[in-house]
Amino acid sequence: MQEHVTDPYVKQAQKDGYRSRAAYKLLEIAQKDRLLRPGAVVFDLGAAPGGWAQVVAKAVGAAGRVYAVDLLPVQPVRGVQMLRGDFTDPQTRAELLALAPAGADLVLSDMAPNISGIADRDQRLSFELAELAVGFAAEALRPGGSVLLKVFQSEWVEGLRADMAELFQRVSVRKPEASRGRSAEVFLLGSGLNKTLAPSSAQSP
Ligand code: SAM
């Protein structure tokens, strides 16, 4: 609690009107990797309370489209279509895919399991969400599109990275300043989807 109150990103978020300090993680990566542009079609997976959605909606502007999903309700964000649902449910993923039949430019996932404190369990659940996000991205993105996803460091991350390397021209690891040093999270960025290799996975359980 004390860490939260004194956190400069929390204070900055209050000042800038962002709903979460997480907004600064996306802002930093998006700026470095030029992820967001006006007119882009973007999925935001694990969107509550809406910090990333705010950043994305502003960046893509009126010509863009933002589709977001979370287990939790999210207060509306102008320019963002929110879906409440469980991303691990194939039906939810099918509903999301149907929103952008012409394909998306970017898939973002900041999804995280409820932290139990049991490292093995938390890491495994985080990996499973990340793996599903990669499968969804392969299905949802246009050729050349990108995915940025959060995953907790674990023995499985290297395998996930290797799987992404089969699908994307480049795979990079990002650890933005706003991601607290002791936090186990890292972000994997897959850029340049090679569509011919995309598996048909979004419908599978
Ligand atoms: N990016 C958000 C922001 O900037 O406000 C913060 C996201 S928060 C770190 C992680 C979110 O992932 C939580 O709101 C949680 O409900 C969501 N989440 C976890 N598992 C999910 C699932 N299976 N389906 C949908 N959302 C999920």
Side-chain angles (χ1 to χ4, degrees), residues 165-195:
E166 297 281 312
L167 293 165
F168 293 89
Q169 285 159 26
R170 287 176 307 287
V171 180
S172 328
V173 181
R174 297 284 178 256
K175 179 80 175 167
E177 282 293 317
S179 178
R180 292 189 180 102
R182 64 178 177 76
S183 159
E185 71 186 14
V186 290
F187 292 84
L188 297 184
L189 172 63
S191 316
L193 177 73
N194 181 357
K195 196 63 177 180

Side-chain angles (χ1 to χ4, degrees), residues 18-26 44-55 69-74 83-89 92 109-114 125 129 132 150 185:
Y18 287 122
R19 296 178 189 177
S20 64
R21 70 185 296 292
Y24 297 99
K25 302 177 194 176
L26 178 61
D44 178 11
L45 313 176
W52 282 29
Q54 290 175 293
V55 170
V69 66
D70 205 289
L71 288 167
L72 303 173
V74 183
L83 181 76
R84 188 171 175 192
D86 182 351
F87 185 75
T88 66
D89 180 345
T92 302
S109 172
D110 197 22
M111 287 187 293
N114 281 330
L125 290 175
L129 288 170
L132 277 179
K150 174 163 82 182
E185 71 186 14

Side-chain angles (χ1 to χ4, degrees), residues 134-149:
V134 171
F136 177 82
E139 195 87 1
L141 290 171
R142 296 175 180 145
S146 299
V147 62
L148 174 70
L149 59 90

